[in-house]
Amino acid sequence: MDLHRKIDREAVKKYAYLNIVGMVGSIDNDFCGTDMTIGTDSALHRIIEVVDAIMTTAQSHQRTFVLEVMGRHCGYLALVSALACGADWVFIPEYPPEEGWEDSMCVKLSENRARKKRLNIIIVAEGAIDCHNKPITSEKVKDLVVQRLGFDTRVTILGHVQRGGTPSAFDRILASRMGVEAVLALLEATPATPACVVSLCGNQSVRLPLMECVQMTQEVQKAMDEGRFVEAVRLRGRSFENNLNTYKLLSHKKPDAELPKTNFNVAVLNVGAPAAGMNAAVRAAVRVGITEGHKMFAVIDGFEGFSRGKIKEISWGDVGGWTGQGGSILGTKRTLPAKYLEKIADQMRTNNINALMVIGGFEAYLGLLELSAAREKYDEFCVPMVMVPATVSNNVPGSDFSIGADTALNTITDTCDRIKQSASGTKRRVFIIETMGGYCGYLANMGALAAGADAAYIFEEQFDIRELQANVEHLTEKMKTSIQRGLVLRNENCNENYTTDFIYQLYSEEGKGVFDCRKNVLGHMQQGGAPSPFDRNFGTKISAKAMQWISKKLKETYRKGKIFANTDDSVCLLGMRRRNLVFQPVAELKTETDFVHRIPKEQWWLKLRPLMKILAKYKTSYDVSDSGQLEHVAMHSQKEVETGTI
């Protein structure tokens, strides 16, 4: 073939330019401009699985564990896993310990032992350094602990375990969303469009110029090499900086003499059904509250327990080791406060409660509406109140995410994977799987997207017998290909007549001779289990921010020796809305709520419905109104991060 043959003019004209769109796949999360890279969440799952297993063995043997995780140039995995398991100490390249760290660390470890803590965990990023840019290795840390304290200390190096395993639900959905955004970016590109990278900002896909992101990523390394560590952390972006600030806030208790004294009492309670991550949220609330100078109280068994006086002071040490615990340690009930108003007001008065933090689902939201309405009659409820959404159903208005939904989604995805594998030796089988969620189709829809399902039936998108018939025909066609199994998810309340049994029988009858059917109701396993890294991290950060809001409101509403807060903006829900965590008065959320079906009137994830259908090879259109525009990489000031204006 003649390599020198000239390209004809037509081809030159047609292929005059090349558009490039990138997506970052890296377990280290070391690329500036995105909150999360594809693969990071799955790596965190592997790390947390190991940490949870180590915790049980270390508690029986009273040991110290030094855990080395990946991250030669970026400490994200080490930092977030330290945050997610409440590690005693963490070493990362961007934030080296101060001079004399050896003494500080040993003092901290011995204090924890003196408080009857049987386990110490130290997490070391493989690229960890001291302030003179000298490496800090896991062996060095171990030797130090053994020599100085004589503690039985073991090193575990995780290595390539972090790269393996099946992807988490978050990664599957993130990669799918980014893939769509990348294709849209290419379709909309012109010859003048610069190469861009698809990134995640909060819960929104954004497009950023590739070269700006690369330059900023290189700037981080340069800042570290030159010892400008504060700058390095800032360049990593708001997500990294928030994680670091939250870890610093929660891991080290200042001596009592150094803590401010506000004389305010703040109560924390769980309301609704249990959700994984609730305990991480309670721990963060208690520790931030104590740091801010408040006296913290824990209410046992929700509003019902509150009315019976089941309330006690809770200390910093009481919540140690809570981040990895599933369910609700405080106990939670669905009971609403309306029938106990007088008794709850009595308890608020008796214990002099100046603010309330409620962690829970739709009942928590209704509960705050009821307490807010009761302010006219009871002055005791004229105090700042904040709600942090925690429910597997993810059906609370005002927030894209709820604590617990990610763990439930992983349970569904893992179960669907196993169920599909069970059919690998049996040809031509379709599984009908029922998920929880009340009337909210979040779990069914996102579970279907993550598990690669063929259909998902939800209440929000009405369906009829014709659609069921079309789905059966689609599966019949699929069975003629090399993939001879099908997966159909159904939300528990999607339709009162088209029940799981009905759909199972319909598919069995219509698929006779082509495929056979099996059904599975996943049930309460979706509420249990250890919280996922996302839920631990989200629960910790959102709860810490809510407690800082309470402190601010207490200062604003303190008049003549007492707290008096009776405006709408003193009863808020803190939720993730697109890019930011936002405080919203619960009274303003009423118009956004379908109270009959206990769901928000508009839900962001419904825009991903067509994506699931396209991936299941249905012909359908995709709504591009939500696609991103090319933006510039934003630099955030320290003040913005601290005050939470971003």
Side-chain angles (χ1 to χ4, degrees):
M1 184 180 157
D2 179 9
L3 293 173
H4 301 288
R5 192 172 55 206
K6 289 181 179 169
I7 301 167
D8 64 65
R9 278 211 186 106
E10 208 47 50
V12 169
K13 218 173 180 176
K14 195 174 175 185
Y15 304 108
Y17 63 94
L18 176 68
N19 286 117
I20 297 172
V21 175
M23 293 177 282
V24 189
S26 159
I27 67 161
D28 292 334
N29 201 21
D30 55 356
F31 192 78
C32 291
T34 184
D35 286 356
M36 281 288 255
T37 55
I38 298 163
T40 305
D41 189 67
S42 301
L44 285 170
H45 271 261
R46 302 294 90 78
I47 295 168
I48 293 304
E49 282 160 15
V50 171
V51 172
D52 285 352
I54 280 174
M55 279 187 155
T56 47
T57 173
Q59 278 170 340
S60 6
H61 291 95
Q62 197 161 4
R63 277 191 180 139
T64 297
F65 272 86
V66 180
L67 199 70
E68 185 182 301
V69 301
M70 281 184 168
R72 255 171 316 183
H73 306 292
C74 177
Y76 186 89
L77 289 178
L79 177 58
V80 175
S81 33
L83 194 59
C85 72
D88 297 84
W89 205 272
V90 64
F91 293 97
I92 58 172
E94 295 88 345
Y95 189 75
E98 291 168 4
E99 202 81 72
W101 61 269
E102 296 91 343
D103 298 331
S104 316
M105 185 181 81
C106 291
V107 166
K108 169 118 197 287
L109 295 177
S110 11
E111 277 174 3
N112 282 348
R113 278 290 163 96
R115 285 197 205 110
K116 304 282 188 292
K117 188 177 178 187
R118 298 173 64 87
L119 151 78
N120 299 117
I121 284 194
I122 299 162
I123 295 183
V124 184
E126 61 179 326
I129 47 172
D130 64 17
C131 52
H132 304 296
N133 262 322
K134 298 273 187 302
I136 296 175
T137 63
S138 42
E139 280 300 327
K140 180 182 175 179
V141 175
K142 176 203 162 179
D143 294 343
L144 181 75
V145 176
V146 172
Q147 284 160 17
R148 296 252 187 125
L149 301 171
F151 290 174
D152 183 1
T153 307
R154 304 294 163 96
V155 172
T156 300
I157 297 172
L158 280 182
H160 280 74
V161 165
Q162 294 157 90
R163 291 194 188 281
T166 52
S168 66
F170 182 92
D171 267 336
R172 296 179 193 203
I173 292 160
L174 174 68
S176 305
R177 288 172 71 182
M178 285 199 169
V180 171
E181 189 63 37
V183 172
L184 294 178
L186 278 177
L187 293 173
E188 291 165 17
T190 66
T193 307
C196 78
V197 62
V198 175
S199 301
L200 182 75
C201 181
N203 184 35
Q204 193 170 1
S205 296
V206 292
R207 302 174 196 172
L208 300 170
L210 176 62
M211 293 322 291
E212 282 184 26
C213 295
V214 169
Q215 192 183 343
M216 202 157 155
T217 305
Q218 289 169 342
E219 289 287 330
V220 178
Q221 192 56 50
K222 194 171 169 224
M224 289 195 291
D225 293 343
E226 292 170 6
R228 293 181 287 116
F229 297 109
V230 173
E231 181 70 1
V233 168
R234 197 167 67 86
L235 287 164
R236 276 273 179 243
R238 65 173 194 168
S239 172
F240 190 93
E241 201 163 1
N242 276 331
N243 284 323
L244 183 58
N245 289 340
T246 310
Y247 177 76
K248 287 193 288 190
L249 205 58
L250 299 176
S251 59
H252 303 292
K253 182 179 188 281
K254 288 180 184 168
D256 289 343
E258 287 178 32
L259 289 172
K261 282 280 177 285
T262 63
N263 294 323
F264 293 135
N265 295 345
V266 181
V268 181
L269 66 157
N270 291 160
V271 175
M278 275 182 164
N279 301 319
V282 172
R283 169 184 175 267
V286 168
R287 291 195 169 180
V288 172
I290 290 168
T291 306
E292 304 259 313
H294 313 317
K295 201 183 260 191
M296 297 302 297
F297 286 82
V299 176
I300 313 299
D301 293 343
F303 289 120
E304 196 176 309
F306 206 169
S307 69
R308 293 183 187 160
K310 291 164 88 171
I311 178 169
K312 58 172 194 210
E313 192 179 341
I314 188 163
S315 71
W316 182 281
D318 291 339
V319 291
W322 279 29
T323 38
Q325 305 279 329
S328 163
I329 296 171
L330 292 184
T332 182
K333 285 219 167 21
R334 291 179 183 272
T335 323
L336 293 172
K339 58 179 179 179
Y340 301 115
L341 287 173
E342 198 166 320
K343 288 180 177 174
I344 294 172
D346 281 347
Q347 290 300 329
M348 298 265 294
R349 192 168 53 251
T350 308
N351 295 285
N352 190 25
I353 300 300
N354 307 114
L356 267 189
M357 176 156 167
V358 184
I359 299 162
F362 204 85
E363 289 86 0
Y365 166 61
L366 293 176
L368 280 196
L369 285 172
E370 290 179 2
L371 292 179
S372 167
R375 281 174 160 182
E376 290 174 20
K377 194 173 175 189
Y378 301 99
D379 276 1
E380 288 83 0
F381 300 137
C382 293
V383 296
M385 302 186 217
V386 68
M387 173 191 164
V388 169
T391 165
V392 299
S393 305
N394 197 24
N395 64 330
V396 177
S399 190
D400 290 357
F401 296 122
S402 297
I403 298 165
D406 183 72
T407 305
L409 210 46
N410 276 293
T411 303
I412 292 166
T413 310
D414 291 348
T415 311
C416 287
D417 285 354
R418 289 182 185 198
I419 285 170
K420 283 202 290 190
Q421 276 177 346
S422 76
S424 58
T426 317
K427 292 288 160 93
R428 297 187 181 163
R429 180 163 284 175
V430 173
F431 295 96
I432 317 288
I433 295 169
E434 184 187 299
T435 68
M436 276 183 160
Y439 285 95
C440 179
Y442 178 82
L443 290 179
N445 187 70
M446 301 308 255
L449 185 56
D454 298 281
Y457 299 117
I458 60 171
F459 170 78
E460 291 89 346
E461 197 175 275
Q462 291 298 297
F463 57 96
D464 57 20
I465 197 74
R466 283 181 292 279
E467 190 166 336
L468 289 169
Q469 182 64 35
N471 292 152
V472 173
E473 285 165 10
H474 189 81
L475 277 167
T476 308
E477 285 304 305
K478 184 184 177 182
M479 293 300 162
K480 294 173 184 169
T481 69
S482 57
I483 302 168
Q484 299 189 328
R485 55 177 186 254
L487 194 62
V488 174
L489 271 67
R490 177 191 175 274
N491 160 265
E492 58 185 350
N493 287 347
C494 66
N495 188 299
E496 60 181 330
N497 294 315
Y498 298 143
T499 60
T500 302
D501 282 334
F502 176 91
I503 291 173
Y504 163 68
Q505 285 162 354
L506 176 79
Y507 272 68
S508 298
E509 181 59 35
E510 296 294 316
K512 254 187 193 162
V514 183
F515 57 79
D516 63 353
C517 274
R518 295 287 184 275
K519 65 170 181 189
N520 290 266
V521 176
L522 298 186
H524 280 75
M525 66 190 287
Q526 293 160 87
Q527 276 180 4
S532 67
F534 179 91
D535 278 333
R536 296 180 196 201
N537 194 347
F538 181 59
T540 299
K541 286 202 286 191
I542 196 172
S543 179
K545 194 176 171 89
M547 189 49 70
Q548 287 166 332
W549 177 88
I550 281 180
S551 298
K552 182 168 133 284
K553 283 290 171 197
L554 284 168
K555 280 184 198 133
E556 286 172 11
T557 56
Y558 186 65
R559 301 269 184 286
K560 297 176 184 168
K562 65 178 287 221
I563 294 292
F564 189 76
N566 66 344
T567 53
D568 280 353
D569 68 354
S570 62
V571 187
C572 279
L573 179 146
L574 174 57
M576 165 67 81
R577 285 224 126 148
R578 293 172 80 84
R579 299 188 185 203
N580 302 310
L581 286 171
V582 190
F583 289 96
Q584 304 142 97
V586 288
E588 288 176 16
L589 291 172
K590 279 163 110 171
T591 54
E592 296 180 25
T593 311
D594 171 353
F595 285 99
V596 177
H597 299 105
R598 299 157 58 91
I599 52 173
K601 286 178 184 170
E602 290 199 5
Q603 301 184 83
W604 66 273
W605 51 266
L606 281 169
K607 288 198 166 140
L608 296 177
R609 285 282 289 169
L611 174 57
M612 191 209 80
K613 292 177 182 174
I614 291 165
L615 294 176
K617 298 190 175 171
Y618 283 89
K619 286 185 169 60
T620 183
S621 59
Y622 189 84
D623 176 10
V624 296
S625 64
D626 213 26
S627 66
Q629 298 301 312
L630 191 65
E631 302 173 14
H632 289 287
V633 179
M635 284 290 292
H636 302 295
S637 69
Q638 179 65 24
K639 188 168 184 293
E640 276 183 309
V641 174
E642 282 169 2
T643 55
T645 50
I646 54 168

